[in-house]
Amino acid sequence: MYKRTFRKEDQTHRFVITNKGGSGWEVREEQDSRVISSRCYTDWHRVERARMAFTDQALNLQQSGWKES
């Protein structure tokens, strides 16, 4: 549903939002092969806020030289 991946040298940073059907949405941030944070929300407004936070973090990564792939 939402996935952005950024790369810098051999590092990867990923933002993912997945629809889990009747149980809500999983909002996950990964760095390399590690899950930094993972939350499940049933309230769409929380998912929207998380997506906006991901957008801000993505902008910071791009300003630091990360490339979206």
Side-chain angles (χ1 to χ4, degrees), residues 34-67:
R34 251 184 26 223
V35 175
I36 294 175
S37 67
S38 177
R39 292 183 176 84
C40 287
Y41 295 118
T42 55
D43 178 2
W44 176 249
H45 297 290
R46 289 181 186 255
V47 177
E48 287 179 323
R49 285 193 294 269
R51 188 187 51 79
M52 287 187 289
F54 283 170
T55 299
D56 290 342
Q57 289 178 284
L59 181 60
N60 288 335
L61 287 173
Q62 288 175 320
Q63 291 173 343
S64 298
W66 291 71
K67 302 293 181 195

Side-chain angles (χ1 to χ4, degrees), residues 9-54:
E9 298 172 7
D10 61 345
Q11 296 179 315
T12 303
H13 203 104
R14 184 173 295 122
F15 304 103
V16 182
I17 300 174
T18 307
N19 186 337
K20 294 295 186 180
S23 60
W25 297 268
E26 179 185 19
V27 176
R28 190 174 69 242
E29 181 178 358
E30 304 170 357
Q31 187 168 2
D32 299 325
S33 59
R34 251 184 26 223
V35 175
I36 294 175
S37 67
S38 177
R39 292 183 176 84
C40 287
Y41 295 118
T42 55
D43 178 2
W44 176 249
H45 297 290
R46 289 181 186 255
V47 177
E48 287 179 323
R49 285 193 294 269
R51 188 187 51 79
M52 287 187 289
F54 283 170

